[in-house]
Amino acid sequence: MSETERQSPFDVAYVARLARLKLGEDECARLQAQLEDILAYVETLNEVDVSGIEPMTQALETQNVMRADVSAPGLDHAAVMANAPERRLGLFIVPRIIE
Amino acid sequence: MSEPTTWTLAESARRVREGAISSLELTDAYLDRIDRLDRAIGAYLTVDADGARAQARAADERRSRGERAPLLGVPVGIKDVLNVSGWPCTCGSRILEGYRAPFDATAVERLRAAGAIPLGILNMDEFAMGSSTENSSRQLTRNPWDLERVPGGSSGGSAAAVAADLCPAALGTDTGGSIRQPAALCGCVGLKPTYGRVSRYGLVAYASSLDQIGPLTKDVRDAALLHDVISGRDPRDSTSLDLPPTSLASGLGRELTGMRLGLPAEYFIDGMDPEVETAVRAAVEQCKALGAEIVPISLPQTRYAIATYYIVATAEASANLARFDGVRYGRRVPGEDPIDMVERTRAAGFGPEVKRRIILGTYVLSSGYYDAYYLRALKVRRWIRAGFDEAFRSCDALLTPTSPSPAFRFGERTGDPLQMYLSDIFTVTVNLAGICGVSLPCGFTKAGLPIGLQVIGPALGEAAILRVAHAYEQSTEWHTRRPNLAVGEGAA
Amino acid sequence: MSWRADIGLEVHVQLRTRSKMFCACPNAFGAEPNTQVCPVCLGYPGALPVINQEAIRLTVRTGLLIDAHINLRSKFDRKNYFYPDQAKNYQISQYDQPLCVGGHLDFSVNGESRRVGITRIHLEEDVAKNIHFDADSGVDFNRAGTPLMEIVTEPDLHAPEDTLAFLQALKQVLQYGGVSDCNLEQGNIRCDINCSVRRADAVNLGTKIEIKNMNTFRGVFRALQAEIPRQIRELERGRAIVQETRRWDDAAGRTESMRGKEDAHDYRYFPEPDLPPIVLSEETITAWRAELPDLPAARRARFVAAFSLPEYDAGVLVSDKEVADYFEETVAAGAPAKAASNWIMTELLARVSESGESIRDLKVAPAGLAALIQLVENRTINGPTAKEVLATMLVEGGDPGEIVSKRGLAQVSDAGALENFIEQVVASHAKSVADYRAGKQPAFEFLIGQVMRLSRGKANPQLVRELLKAKLG
Ligand SMILES: [Mg+2]
Ligand SMILES: [Zn+2]
């Protein structure tokens, strides 16, 4: 990694690892350039004076949407396991997890 | 009797109800047309011919027993982003290969309750990320008006299928314009309801606070009819609104006397296609002739909408798409350990646009950048909403173009993601504000490409925008035009 | 040189609800793998969460029990990290607006009263369970999405003993509140330990070590017994403590550095767009406060005042909520309080501590015990017989009255029958009769014993005493 690249706050390799995306070198370089472009465009938001504005976290303001604590059967076990890429003993099988 | 596949949804439902045609005959007419024409269009990923015929027979039996339902026996197309029990649901992606939905999305469940028959799965941009359907990993979908051009996206399959008479109506989804923009590019009607109108349960989330399911139809009445069927509170979606059922289809008129329609200056920008501008301005004049008062307004927020959208939508998407890891369903690429397996699966399963947006969304939420990007975008989002609130204090609805240009050629914009993003400039504001909008045909370019007019309304303003859209539509003949698809002739 | 340890806990408590946190799947332990799952808790594409209102109530109730401030506006956030046991690869949790903030819990260690500050209590969803095989691992999502309350304490604990006593006191409060069953075997309470060491006169806390995934109280105690001296040894050797996550190896009796924790803490929290915020009214909180149960100290005082129990009895009974409830139900079923207390403290608790079960698992219900005590009170049976009947009930269950009548154990209080026994004894023990008449009291007791023996233990001892006295003049 060159000195100039390191100065860029956007490090596609780091972000890709957070997002669990294994990127090839070409892909990494292309994304680095494209995203730097997009991020530069996004900088236009700095023109907006947002002081005193509350963040909008919901499309429409609603509250207290809840359900009663009642249980009901879920999906049929066989249907669930039919979608599993690898299964055994009624479990979803994954490579060995080191805890 | 005219060709059944040219009928509107309402007309189809009426003729089946009256016994002029059986549901099986109607269904077969569509299956036959899809057989002959969809090779050229590429709208459908899967057609459930056997399932549709079985349901059509059942619908005919129900009818003969005297049963009534608003859409009894009428087939409808479904975008590949909605779960339909027993069907694949791939979201146009390789990562969901092998997945079969074990449940119906609420909107699909409501279609069935209204008697409609899910006919098949319609192509889309992968995970609804795109404006041309070129991001589908499955196949290319062509614009029925010009097979060398895109149908728009992300609900490109839905729009193309409706425009080519491959279904009387279809469900699409709209996160930043994904119903309205392809509707405009394919010359049909597309409605993005107010956020919370239609349950998102069973809709594979792209950006949860922006996504909304809506109809793509041949005319405005059909859009109203389908909205009435699929909308309403669903206890499985905490963001669905608890409101009385709508009856929009019955509130449509032919004039606009007393209505104030805003014309936001920022929606007529430099660089937009002159033919689009001319057609939209003519439509504005037509609305005036129908009795509406035109109010020039300003929405200075508009120029910040795309940046806001690409932060908010991608941030949500980065989390929403994290579940695709090859553990419980879908495609898996083996790996040495769980992390390796997940990284390989996602690298192989997602296409470039999806990866781009996941990376962007992950970045804007990451430690040290949250405030500068995500939090700031949420504040600008509220300001965008405030701009609309202000506009709707003096206007009943707004008139704008749907898309700055008509359908473009394949590959024309794929090299420059930012340019592609900018094609959503007139539609994303509606999703950010959580309000409603509809696109309908308002003319054609000299080359014969459809042009879309967008009518934007306030939250829960569907009745107002459909009233405007219907009055305008009924005073024109744009919606009656059909693309010239030589039967049996393949393209490309 | 003298050192001081500072210990804080992040305690994860599984709430006692019928259904999961965001879906209707049962919140129950022990089912076959992946049979209590649905699109929501499996993170299926298109599934959406809906908040279980009972989980909100139980978390707020916990806050009220430890004098926390209840946030009137609270929301859920997404905590993003990938792990195979996490269905969506984000956990719905609470970040900057948890349900409860502040508060404290009082408890005592070796008779000394102590207070630990509570930083916050938030609500989240539990993850799935991993099962490890030689070559791979399996994931069972039955537990995924069950409601999990996280209680974060201030670093106010300073020794393994403190920490253990705090956890026991917390467990008592949670059980009293009906918030959790606190069954350790089922993993109802698990915790992460934050532990640092500094010089006794230092102002600032030392560098913090996190010990993850402790699921027994004994493990917490032993881990601290090992970790505190380890840190002190390091510091005394002049080595710096590096902030890290460690795990407790119970077999080896030591903590060890955890591997594979790259990208550790960039959780990218952001507000959960699928869930509207929770807004609680003052009225709701007042109503919930009015429903709070007595905590142990208050209940002990009430037992002393209302039932005239000795302090000691009351203390023993309230130390376990189930025992205290059992006692109150026995009294409500008609047993005199002191008698009920005696029977529970001696016979039942002995049995419980032997078998390791809960008092509720016994085959004797409060109504059964009350009926048994009633039989003693109305002199249908005597004390030793009652113990015999209880032993039967503990093994076979059943109604004490029926056991007594079926086995003919009823006490003989019929004067005619007793006089018959007395006459036989007097006739065959002339020497003792003479001794008694000569003023030797033990001879009288011996004669009573003989009568009891003849009656096979069923004679009413009080009546025998009176009748014998009259007989011998
Ligand atoms: Mg936690
Ligand atoms: Zn579930």
Side-chain angles (χ1 to χ4, degrees):
Chain A
M1 193 184 280
S2 81
E3 209 53 45
T4 46
E5 270 171 338
R6 203 174 303 159
Q7 277 162 11
S8 161
F10 177 72
D11 174 0
V12 74
Y14 169 76
V15 180
R17 211 165 59 238
L18 278 182
R20 290 276 183 271
L21 288 170
K22 187 158 271 170
L23 299 180
E25 258 176 53
D26 285 3
E27 218 176 355
C28 222
R30 195 170 54 245
L31 280 167
Q32 178 81 35
Q34 286 173 338
L35 284 157
E36 278 176 12
D37 270 5
I38 294 167
L39 287 168
Y41 172 75
V42 156
E43 296 292 321
T44 53
L45 291 190
N46 291 328
E47 297 166 10
V48 182
D49 178 10
V50 293
S51 55
I53 302 181
E54 282 294 304
M56 178 170 165
T57 53
Q58 298 175 270
L60 291 185
E61 317 266 311
T62 56
Q63 61 192 39
N64 294 344
V65 183
M66 295 186 252
R67 61 183 183 84
D69 181 25
V70 178
S71 81
L75 286 175
D76 174 61
H77 177 72
V80 166
M81 297 326 286
N83 265 327
E86 198 182 337
R87 53 188 175 260
R88 198 171 70 237
L89 304 169
L91 298 163
F92 295 94
I93 299 299
V94 294
R96 199 169 195 296
I97 300 168
I98 314 283
E99 282 178 302
Chain B
M1 198 162 72
S2 56
E3 181 63 35
T5 52
T6 63
W7 300 341
T8 64
L9 186 69
E11 212 174 337
S12 305
R14 182 174 54 78
R15 297 212 191 201
V16 171
R17 188 163 56 241
E18 289 169 355
I21 189 170
S22 71
S23 170
L24 187 60
E25 287 166 325
L26 182 65
T27 304
D28 276 334
Y30 278 108
L31 291 172
D32 175 57
R33 188 169 169 88
I34 292 166
D35 242 12
R36 284 182 292 120
L37 286 182
D38 198 40
R39 238 168 323 199
I41 306 290
Y44 282 92
L45 295 173
T46 309
V47 178
D48 183 15
D50 293 345
R53 283 204 185 93
Q55 287 174 79
R57 281 189 205 98
D60 286 331
E61 218 162 276
R62 284 174 64 190
R63 200 197 70 88
S64 69
R65 285 198 303 265
E67 276 185 51
R68 285 287 190 98
L71 299 177
L72 187 59
V74 183
V76 173
I78 312 287
K79 186 176 177 181
D80 191 28
V81 75
L82 294 167
N83 280 270
V84 179
S85 191
W87 284 10
C89 174
T90 70
C91 301
S93 181
R94 281 187 297 263
I95 207 158
L96 271 166
E97 269 169 19
Y99 171 72
R100 260 177 204 273
F103 66 106
D104 270 342
T106 300
V108 172
E109 198 177 81
R110 291 191 178 175
L111 276 184
R112 289 193 205 275
I117 299 168
L119 185 59
I121 306 173
L122 296 163
N123 197 22
M124 59 185 277
D125 282 303
E126 185 176 5
F127 285 104
M129 297 177 178
S131 310
S132 65
T133 311
E134 290 168 285
N135 293 335
S136 169
S137 73
R138 305 286 306 279
Q139 67 192 30
L140 206 63
T141 298
R142 296 170 183 279
N143 192 313
W145 295 91
D146 179 346
L147 299 179
E148 296 309 309
R149 289 174 188 266
V150 303
S154 66
S155 309
S158 300
V162 171
D165 293 333
L166 301 175
C167 57
L171 292 188
T173 61
D174 190 316
T175 306
S178 285
I179 288 173
R180 290 160 292 157
Q181 188 257 16
L185 270 49
C186 289
C188 49
V189 175
L191 170 65
K192 199 291 281 188
T194 303
Y195 186 84
R197 271 286 197 200
V198 183
S199 167
R200 294 182 294 115
Y201 192 80
L203 152 62
V204 183
Y206 157 23
S208 314
S209 77
L210 302 164
D211 294 341
Q212 199 58 193
I213 301 169
L216 288 110
T217 55
K218 299 184 189 200
D219 69 10
V220 174
R221 178 172 298 278
D222 280 359
L225 181 61
L226 212 42
H227 174 277
D228 289 343
V229 165
I230 61 173
S231 62
R233 164 89 180 127
D234 175 13
R236 288 170 295 188
D237 174 3
S238 310
T239 63
S240 78
L241 297 170
D242 196 1
L243 296 166
T246 56
S247 182
L248 300 178
S250 62
L252 304 172
R254 283 177 181 272
E255 49 156 277
L256 298 175
T257 316
M259 286 200 91
R260 292 170 60 86
L261 303 179
L263 200 61
E266 290 78 5
Y267 285 71
F268 295 87
I269 52 169
D270 288 347
M272 73 186 288
D273 189 289
E275 287 188 284
V276 169
E277 177 160 7
T278 307
V280 172
R281 290 205 187 273
V284 172
E285 286 310 308
Q286 178 69 11
C287 289
K288 201 167 163 184
L290 291 166
E293 183 188 340
I294 305 299
V295 186
I297 61 161
S298 172
L299 285 169
Q301 293 86 349
T302 310
R303 74 186 232 88
Y304 303 104
I306 292 287
T308 306
Y309 172 80
Y310 277 93
I311 293 173
V312 173
T314 59
E316 292 179 10
S318 72
N320 284 331
L321 271 62
R323 70 190 60 196
F324 303 105
D325 60 5
V327 173
R328 285 144 292 122
Y329 47 75
R331 181 171 178 180
R332 169 187 292 193
V333 178
E336 284 160 23
D337 55 54
I339 293 175
D340 189 47
M341 186 270 281
V342 172
E343 285 184 338
R344 286 172 189 276
T345 296
R346 291 165 63 79
F350 290 135
E353 183 58 30
V354 173
K355 286 180 189 167
R356 198 147 46 227
R357 295 197 196 188
I358 289 174
I359 297 274
L360 179 58
T362 303
Y363 178 68
V364 299
L365 289 173
S366 67
S367 169
Y369 300 99
Y370 181 93
D371 287 6
Y373 292 107
Y374 186 67
L375 188 62
R376 174 167 280 269
L378 292 185
K379 291 176 179 178
V380 177
R381 185 178 181 187
R382 186 174 294 279
W383 179 55
I384 290 170
R385 170 71 192 250
F388 279 113
D389 287 347
E390 178 65 33
F392 289 121
R393 272 193 277 279
S394 59
C395 304
D396 299 304
L398 313 178
L399 299 177
T400 78
T402 307
S403 165
S405 72
F408 43 91
R409 290 179 193 281
F410 290 107
E412 201 177 306
R413 299 189 188 173
T414 41
D416 186 350
L418 190 52
Q419 276 314 305
M420 187 71 104
Y421 295 174
L422 290 171
S423 54
D424 294 335
I425 187 148
F426 300 147
T427 47
V428 294
T429 49
V430 169
N431 302 78
L432 287 167
I435 57 181
C436 60
V438 62
S439 177
L440 70 160
C442 69
F444 286 82
T445 64
K446 288 191 201 77
L449 298 172
I451 298 170
L453 168 71
Q454 180 175 227
V455 188
I456 299 174
L460 308 181
E462 283 83 358
I465 61 171
L466 292 180
R467 187 184 154 196
V468 174
H470 184 255
Y472 170 76
E473 172 194 81
Q474 293 303 306
S475 74
T476 70
E477 47 79 41
W478 311 123
H479 64 289
T480 62
R481 293 203 193 171
R482 286 288 180 280
N484 182 19
L485 290 164
V487 169
E489 194 179 275
Chain C
M1 187 175 310
S2 140
W3 297 90
R4 174 184 173 91
D6 301 286
I7 303 155
L9 299 174
E10 291 166 25
V11 187
H12 289 95
V13 180
Q14 288 186 326
L15 296 181
R16 196 163 81 185
T17 57
R18 289 187 196 91
S19 62
K20 291 187 181 182
M21 185 63 230
F22 298 114
C23 62
C25 290
N27 177 18
F29 181 84
E32 290 296 310
N34 295 306
T35 55
Q36 294 180 344
V37 291
C38 74
V40 178
C41 54
L42 280 173
Y44 261 43
L48 295 170
V50 186
I51 299 167
N52 180 343
Q53 59 186 18
E54 177 67 358
I56 301 287
R57 191 185 69 91
L58 292 175
T59 304
V60 170
R61 168 177 264 228
T62 307
L64 294 173
L65 286 169
I66 56 124
D67 286 324
H69 167 75
I70 309 301
N71 271 333
L72 293 185
R73 191 184 166 87
S74 172
K75 68 172 169 68
F76 285 95
D77 300 276
R78 292 185 182 177
K79 179 182 183 178
N80 294 286
Y81 67 94
F82 282 82
Y83 214 75
D85 62 8
Q86 182 151 247
K88 304 180 294 298
N89 286 317
Y90 60 82
Q91 180 188 33
I92 304 178
S93 180
Q94 298 193 286
Y95 183 52
D96 56 343
Q97 289 172 31
L99 281 162
C100 316
V101 213
H104 52 80
L105 183 67
D106 294 327
F107 62 102
S108 61
V109 194
N110 306 325
E112 201 184 309
S113 153
R114 299 284 308 278
R115 168 168 287 195
V116 162
I118 304 294
T119 315
R120 57 184 274 152
I121 307 178
H122 68 252
L123 193 51
E124 58 191 26
E125 52 180 340
D126 208 343
V127 295
K129 215 172 96 189
N130 300 324
I131 295 128
H132 303 297
F133 305 109
D134 287 343
D136 50 25
S137 297
V139 193
D140 169 11
F141 284 87
N142 285 348
R143 195 183 68 184
T146 57
L148 199 61
M149 177 175 71
E150 180 170 337
I151 303 170
V152 182
T153 79
E154 294 292 306
D156 291 348
L157 296 157
H158 303 290
E161 293 74 18
D162 290 4
T163 311
L164 183 61
F166 165 79
L167 283 170
Q168 277 158 349
L170 180 65
K171 178 180 166 198
Q172 222 177 55
V173 168
L174 296 171
Q175 283 181 325
Y176 264 84
V179 168
S180 172
D181 291 332
C182 295
N183 184 326
L184 292 166
E185 279 72 44
Q186 296 182 7
N188 287 171
I189 301 195
R190 313 189 292 269
C191 66
D192 300 339
I193 308 171
N194 289 311
C195 170
S196 63
V197 159
R198 58 175 154 157
R199 286 176 196 225
D201 58 357
V203 178
N204 296 326
L205 294 180
T207 303
K208 172 177 92 175
I209 295 293
E210 188 174 13
I211 309 169
K212 280 257 184 218
N213 304 330
M214 305 300 307
N215 45 29
T216 66
F217 287 2
R218 185 177 151 278
V220 171
F221 184 78
R222 293 189 60 219
L224 285 167
Q225 269 189 329
E227 176 64 11
I228 295 169
R230 183 191 72 85
Q231 290 186 29
I232 293 174
R233 271 197 312 274
E234 291 291 299
L235 292 168
E236 282 182 338
R237 283 175 195 160
R239 292 186 206 149
I241 301 289
V242 184
Q243 186 162 346
E244 64 172 345
T245 301
R246 298 176 73 86
R247 66 188 268 305
W248 168 242
D249 183 338
D250 199 71
R254 60 163 185 263
T255 65
E256 60 189 29
S257 200
M258 253 169 97
R259 287 182 298 164
K261 263 277 161 178
E262 50 170 330
D263 310 330
H265 297 297
D266 199 339
Y267 290 130
R268 291 159 283 136
Y269 281 100
F270 74 101
E272 168 55 273
D274 288 330
L275 295 172
I278 307 291
V279 179
L280 297 167
S281 67
E282 294 284 4
E283 294 76 64
T284 301
I285 291 173
T286 306
W288 285 350
R289 197 187 294 278
E291 290 167 2
L292 291 181
D294 287 347
L295 281 188
R299 198 171 197 187
R300 187 160 103 189
R302 186 163 61 79
F303 279 12
V304 171
F307 302 125
S308 307
L309 284 187
E311 280 281 354
Y312 175 78
D313 287 32
V316 171
L317 293 174
V318 304
S319 69
D320 182 334
K321 176 173 185 292
E322 290 194 328
V323 172
D325 289 346
Y326 190 101
F327 163 75
E328 283 209 81
E329 285 168 43
T330 308
V331 173
K338 180 60 185 154
S341 163
N342 287 347
W343 279 94
I344 291 170
M345 292 198 326
T346 53
E347 302 303 323
L348 298 193
L349 289 186
R351 179 72 178 212
V352 164
S353 70
E354 253 168 47
S355 64
E357 339 168 79
S358 137
I359 195 163
R360 289 289 179 192
D361 298 334
L362 296 179
K363 288 191 172 144
V364 182
L369 178 62
L372 179 68
I373 293 172
Q374 212 54 57
L375 293 175
V376 180
E377 292 293 315
N378 66 23
R379 307 202 169 166
T380 306
I381 52 175
N382 57 31
T385 307
K387 284 191 187 178
E388 222 181 292
V389 173
L390 180 68
T392 305
M393 290 167 75
L394 285 168
V395 176
E396 299 165 10
D399 176 69
E402 272 172 28
I403 295 171
V404 166
S405 64
K406 208 184 315 173
R407 303 214 189 148
L409 297 174
Q411 180 162 262
V412 180
S413 298
D414 170 56
L418 290 183
E419 264 166 26
N420 190 1
F421 292 139
I422 288 170
E423 257 160 41
Q424 288 183 44
V425 168
V426 168
S428 52
H429 295 85
K431 169 100 174 39
S432 296
V433 172
D435 284 352
Y436 169 69
R437 288 193 170 131
K440 287 183 183 164
Q441 191 57 31
F444 186 69
E445 299 303 328
F446 170 77
L447 290 169
I448 286 179
Q450 294 307 306
V451 174
M452 293 304 291
R453 219 173 90 179
L454 214 52
S455 75
R456 300 210 318 275
K458 292 186 293 183
N460 176 336
Q462 197 54 40
L463 203 53
V464 170
R465 184 171 288 271
E466 282 164 27
L467 290 173
L468 185 64
K469 204 168 234 172
K471 175 88 184 175
L472 300 179

